[in-house]
Amino acid sequence: MGRKVTLATCSLNQWALDFEGNLTRILKSIEIAKQRGAKYRLGPELEICGYGCADHFYESDILLHCFQVLKSLLESPLTQDITCDVGMPVMHHNVRYNCRVIFLNKKILLIRPKMLLANYGNNREFRWFSPWSRPRYVEEYFLPRMIQDLTGQTTVPFGDGVLSTKDTCIGSEICAELWNPRSPHVDMGLDGIEIFTNSSASYHELRKADHRVNLVKSATTKSGGIYLFANQKGCDGDRLYYDGCAMIAINGDIVARGTQFSLEDVVCVRGCHMTKHALNMFLTAQEYEHKPYQRIKTDFSLSDCDDRCLPTHQPVEWIFHTPEEEISLGPACWLWDYLRRSGQAGFLLPLSGGVDSSSTACIVYSMCVQICQAVKDGNSQVLEDVQRVVNNSSYRPEDPRELCGHLFTTCYMASENSSEDTRNRAKDLAAQIGSNHLNINIDMAVKGMLGIFSMVTGKWPQFRANGGSVRENLALQNVQARIRMILAYLFAQLCLWAQGKPGGLLVLGSANVDESLTGYFTKYDCSSADINPIGGVSKMDLKCFLQYCVKSFQLTALISILDAPPTAELEPLTDGKVVQTDEADMGMTYSELSVIGRLRKISKCGPYSMFCKLIHSWKETFSPSQVATKVKHFFRMYSINRHKMTTVTPSYHAENYSPDDNRFDLRPFLYNTQWAWQFRCIDNEVSRWFQFQKYIFRIHERCSKRLSPKIKIKNGIEDPAREIRF
């Protein structure tokens, strides 16, 4: 008949190495779970130390502090009469494992090590951990003395076991094990386990959430049961943002879910469900030949004996965010975590009046919208953080524009090459979002820099439009861009000081992912900053995002920004108008660059295989020779400028074709930019294509003259003796 069980899973905004704060948030989630009647609480991956500790995992200190936190959890009255499942690294037989530690009433029941490690994208778990390679095998683990003295246990089970209570059986997965084609929950379901848990640190990428939800649903679609998914949320110290989405599924339906983006530090999802056996057992017990899981028996029930009400589960409709909404929410939450944890007093952005810097400004405004809404909803932690950031204990944010004035400074840095159009666009947008806006002229600084050069060399460089060489033209553009960076940092450090206020500002960058691919930015220019919320977002997505902002935030100033062609405005104007455009400088459009970027990273294409794919996908637009020219141009630009990625501003990771050099896209930065062998292969293919077209033309020409319909082609591509029939 089954019994009703109450389970809780959660998303926590953990911070790498913040053991004090992490402990507080874990205890808070346990308290909420108990208040809602849960008998089992699941937390995210490595929640005690934080997932993003990276090479700190090598340190013995981190193992010590994790056990100290575990001791505090075991001692806490909040952890009594509820089974707690927490994540931490554990050293066993001198091997470091990523583990779940499951305990109840001051007794550790099981330490379950991760078996399938994440070693792709931004994940490098093999660098710090070893996988547990013995399925369904459990051995003894000797506890540290501080834990022994508390629990009275010398050893506890360690390995791939499952927890058997009086009324059900629970098996654990850890993050990447759900994404693997041979997920442990398959064998666990066949062995009669009814409840599956997954503790994750799954970071946000655009258009990823539906894949994650579908995996959780499918885990119980075939064989039934209950699946709990816990995930980290927030910025725990680097480029990644963990977007939460804790959820519970039963028999293929999502029945409870947490928010994907929020400013809450602790989100707890609770569900009451009826345990039941697998639904569709295609294999009989005789056909299931695997060794059964070792069950760790526990004198505890997840259900109450007097429960006579057995509710049926009600599926939850999951409405996914659009990519534009994800850009509005994810990077904004990331910025807020970074701001409140960095101890700074706000942001400064060089606002040029173009799509990129305007997108960054809109993300900051979205952050202010979310802060005001969180305060309105009674989030005391957000209110306390805001008051600390603005240095006013009585301040209460209610209007996003007014809050933006406290947290955000924008500046338009004009030169003699800047147009009135971009100046006005920047001014109008700043007025609509409420930022403190500055107009700065950099001509004096540029001439001063060039004057120093002229004093030393006796020469004064000229723009190409004024008769200068390519080298002179590029140098003159770069000096403007780099002076803007210097001024941005100067104003960020002293702007509040000049107003008699404490603190400094974080400088925001505004280079998109497509520009990073080709290196279409100056090294150490105004795109160099402290952090960049759009560095992992494509230009095409940013344009859609600004259209979303026009409708959602009524920022009508963005309309003229979207209509204007992207330009760096670093070369002289012609009759007061901009003649330099980004796409002309890059030699390709942003939409073309987005396609090329996905082929380079996601499809793992070099120059030749990229050409072979593009001659098919672009056949309606470009000839093979034109495709070859674009592919060669891209790889020359990419390889010449790859060194810039070693110093690029840390960016919010949002796109899976990001060229980020930190961890995600590990490639050389010194290339042979001739690509001689690769480009020769492309040239050979183009030559074969022209030869083929020549033969086809001759065939049609002869047919039109009523020649024989049976023609033998000499030097045919496949077979010289081949006959072509019509």
Side-chain angles (χ1 to χ4, degrees):
M1 180 176 175
R3 291 185 175 90
K4 185 180 74 174
V5 297
T6 305
L7 310 166
T9 181
C10 57
S11 297
L12 304 183
N13 196 334
Q14 303 298 74
W15 191 6
L17 304 176
D18 179 24
F19 294 99
E20 191 76 34
N22 292 348
L23 171 60
T24 300
R25 287 180 283 271
I26 292 171
L27 287 172
K28 180 65 174 177
S29 68
I30 295 172
E31 180 182 14
I32 295 172
K34 287 186 70 176
Q35 289 173 352
R36 297 181 181 179
K39 295 292 186 70
Y40 193 102
R41 176 268 181 199
L42 176 72
E45 186 175 12
L46 294 170
E47 59 189 302
I48 287 181
C49 57
Y51 183 80
C53 295
D55 281 0
H56 286 287
F57 284 123
Y58 290 133
E59 301 166 1
S60 61
D61 293 32
I62 203 168
L63 300 170
L64 169 66
H65 298 326
C66 283
F67 272 109
Q68 290 172 335
V69 171
L70 179 61
K71 180 174 181 290
S72 297
L73 289 170
L74 288 164
E75 291 174 328
S76 173
L78 291 173
T79 62
Q80 301 307 298
D81 299 321
I82 182 171
T83 302
C84 297
D85 187 337
V86 300
M88 58 180 276
V90 176
M91 184 81 78
H92 178 53
H93 292 168
N94 291 325
V95 178
R96 190 181 300 101
Y97 295 99
N98 176 351
C99 295
R100 302 304 301 171
V101 179
I102 306 172
F103 62 90
L104 169 68
N105 293 337
K106 296 188 179 180
K107 299 290 183 182
I108 294 177
L109 305 176
L110 172 67
I111 300 178
R112 200 280 198 180
K114 192 171 185 177
M115 303 176 67
L116 302 170
L117 301 184
N119 208 51
Y120 47 83
N122 285 288
N123 300 301
R124 294 288 181 272
E125 290 183 5
F126 272 103
R127 181 178 175 92
W128 310 298
F129 303 109
S130 295
W132 180 254
S133 56
R134 307 178 73 176
R136 302 172 195 81
Y137 180 80
V138 175
E139 59 191 31
E140 293 300 305
Y141 173 78
F142 282 83
L143 292 169
R145 186 166 299 169
M146 74 172 89
I147 305 297
Q148 290 184 27
D149 293 342
L150 176 63
T151 66
Q153 301 169 288
T154 303
T155 63
V156 295
F158 185 101
D160 185 25
V162 297
L163 198 63
S164 180
T165 67
K166 289 180 177 182
D167 48 6
T168 188
C169 194
I170 306 168
S172 297
E173 288 187 330
I174 305 177
C175 199
E177 294 173 352
L178 171 64
W179 300 73
N180 194 277
R182 186 61 188 271
S183 298
H185 70 256
V186 176
D187 288 333
M188 286 191 286
L190 292 172
D191 197 26
I193 286 81
E194 297 176 311
I195 299 175
F196 315 99
T197 67
N198 186 299
S199 55
S200 284
S202 178
Y203 55 82
H204 172 241
E205 281 182 348
L206 297 180
R207 306 171 180 89
K208 176 183 176 182
D210 60 334
H211 188 30
R212 185 194 292 146
V213 172
N214 289 335
L215 284 171
V216 171
K217 291 169 65 175
S218 68
T220 59
T221 297
K222 292 184 293 184
S223 58
I226 300 170
Y227 200 100
L228 278 73
F229 178 85
N231 194 24
Q232 184 160 310
K233 67 187 300 292
C235 168
D236 82 337
D238 62 9
R239 295 158 170 79
L240 307 179
Y241 179 78
Y242 302 92
D243 54 334
C245 281
M247 67 188 93
I248 301 176
I250 179 169
N251 299 339
D253 293 323
I254 302 296
V255 296
R257 59 160 294 185
T259 54
Q260 184 177 6
F261 303 104
S262 79
L263 302 185
E264 295 282 350
D265 277 350
V266 177
V267 175
C268 197
V269 180
R270 167 259 200 191
C272 295
H273 308 291
M274 184 175 70
T275 64
K276 62 188 303 178
H277 295 292
L279 296 176
N280 303 312
M281 200 64 87
F282 293 106
L283 294 180
T284 66
Q286 289 77 16
E287 292 172 321
Y288 181 68
E289 299 177 352
H290 288 297
K291 173 185 174 183
Y293 282 84
Q294 181 169 333
R295 283 161 162 76
I296 312 302
K297 295 182 179 179
T298 307
D299 187 18
F300 188 72
S301 296
L302 299 185
S303 60
D304 293 327
C305 296
D306 58 351
D307 264 336
R308 289 180 172 82
C309 177
L310 297 178
T312 58
H313 68 272
Q314 297 297 323
V316 173
E317 182 183 3
W318 196 301
I319 300 176
F320 294 100
H321 292 292
T322 65
E324 296 77 30
E325 290 172 331
E326 290 186 278
I327 296 171
S328 175
L329 297 169
C333 292
W334 182 74
L335 282 181
W336 174 238
D337 276 349
Y338 202 99
L339 176 61
R340 69 192 181 106
R341 288 173 170 172
S342 67
Q344 297 300 301
F347 299 112
L348 181 137
L349 171 69
L351 185 60
S352 68
V355 166
D356 294 332
S357 62
S358 297
S359 297
T360 298
C362 288
I363 289 171
V364 175
Y365 182 74
S366 175
M367 180 196 78
C368 293
V369 170
Q370 292 185 66
I371 291 171
C372 291
Q373 186 61 50
V375 171
K376 182 179 179 181
D377 293 341
N379 190 319
S380 59
Q381 182 63 59
V382 171
L383 178 59
E384 179 184 329
D385 288 334
V386 170
Q387 291 172 343
R388 177 172 46 81
V389 170
V390 303
N391 195 39
N392 184 346
S393 59
S394 62
Y395 175 68
R396 187 178 182 86
E398 296 179 352
D399 175 45
R401 292 186 69 259
E402 186 262 343
L403 177 59
C404 213
H406 284 281
L407 299 179
F408 195 28
T409 297
T410 53
C411 54
Y412 181 81
M413 299 185 185
S415 73
E416 59 186 11
N417 303 318
S418 302
S419 67
E420 282 298 317
D421 291 339
T422 55
R423 184 198 301 269
N424 291 334
R425 289 197 290 266
K427 179 183 176 182
D428 292 344
L429 178 59
Q432 289 189 1
I433 64 175
S435 65
N436 294 310
H437 190 63
L438 307 173
N439 278 302
I440 304 170
N441 192 293
I442 67 170
D443 286 337
M444 184 186 304
V446 172
K447 291 176 181 177
M449 189 71 71
L450 295 176
I452 295 173
F453 178 81
S454 180
M455 286 177 59
V456 174
T457 64
K459 293 181 177 291
W460 194 282
Q462 298 293 324
F463 281 104
R464 180 170 45 195
N466 299 328
S469 65
V470 173
R471 284 188 292 175
E472 293 173 75
N473 193 70
L474 183 59
L476 288 173
Q477 291 184 67
N478 288 345
V479 72
Q480 296 171 76
R482 288 182 173 129
I483 282 174
R484 283 174 173 146
M485 180 201 71
I486 295 170
L487 288 172
Y489 273 100
L490 176 65
F491 277 84
Q493 290 176 316
L494 296 181
C495 205
L496 296 181
W497 167 81
Q499 301 172 39
K501 299 178 181 178
L505 304 175
L506 291 165
V507 180
L508 295 181
S510 56
N512 64 63
V513 68
D514 297 327
E515 291 173 348
S516 297
L517 276 170
T518 60
Y520 184 66
F521 60 90
T522 302
K523 200 173 185 178
Y524 306 117
D525 72 343
C526 58
S527 65
S528 300
D530 293 314
I531 49 175
N532 180 3
I534 68 165
V537 187
S538 72
K539 190 81 163 190
M540 305 307 293
D541 280 336
L542 289 176
K543 288 183 176 180
C544 293
F545 166 62
L546 291 188
Q547 291 170 348
Y548 164 83
C549 291
V550 173
K551 298 176 182 178
S552 298
F553 301 142
Q554 289 75 52
L555 301 178
T556 54
L558 296 172
I559 296 174
S560 60
I561 292 172
L562 284 164
D563 292 339
T567 176
E569 284 196 330
L570 295 172
E571 294 188 29
L573 305 175
T574 300
D575 298 326
K577 299 295 182 181
V578 174
V579 294
Q580 179 189 27
T581 64
D582 292 351
E583 292 183 334
D585 283 353
M586 291 190 299
M588 60 189 71
T589 66
Y590 280 106
S591 60
E592 292 166 359
L593 192 52
S594 181
V595 172
I596 286 173
R598 286 180 166 82
L599 289 174
R600 181 199 69 95
K601 177 64 178 177
I602 301 172
S603 301
K604 302 176 178 61
C605 289
Y608 177 72
S609 57
M610 183 181 292
F611 166 79
C612 292
K613 289 180 180 294
L614 288 176
I615 57 174
H616 291 286
S617 58
W618 286 354
K619 62 183 178 182
E620 303 297 330
T621 309
F622 301 111
S623 69
S625 60
Q626 291 173 317
V627 172
T629 299
K630 285 185 177 292
V631 170
K632 290 179 182 179
H633 177 67
F634 167 76
F635 275 97
R636 286 195 188 99
M637 294 297 294
Y638 165 78
S639 55
I640 288 170
N641 292 312
R642 178 64 187 176
H643 65 95
K644 295 180 181 180
M645 294 309 300
T646 64
T647 62
V648 74
T649 297
S651 302
Y652 179 94
H653 177 84
E655 188 59 77
N656 56 4
Y657 70 89
S658 167
D660 193 309
D661 183 69
N662 174 57
R663 282 192 315 203
F664 188 73
D665 191 35
L666 305 181
R667 300 174 192 240
F669 58 84
L670 179 61
Y671 283 89
N672 182 340
T673 60
Q674 300 301 312
W675 299 88
W677 189 283
Q678 296 92 328
F679 287 0
R680 187 161 60 249
C681 289
I682 293 176
D683 291 338
N684 290 339
E685 286 297 320
V686 173
S687 177
R688 289 181 63 192
W689 182 84
F690 275 118
Q691 185 182 29
F692 178 74
Q693 291 297 310
K694 179 180 177 182
Y695 286 133
I696 295 297
F697 176 77
R698 288 175 56 192
I699 291 169
H700 282 285
E701 186 179 46
R702 292 183 183 183
C703 288
S704 66
K705 295 179 181 179
R706 301 183 181 277
L707 296 178
S708 171
K710 184 176 179 181
I711 302 172
K712 185 176 292 184
I713 300 177
K714 296 181 179 180
N715 300 321
I717 295 174
E718 297 183 0
D719 184 353
R722 180 183 177 190
E723 292 181 346
I724 297 182
R725 304 175 188 273
F726 296 89

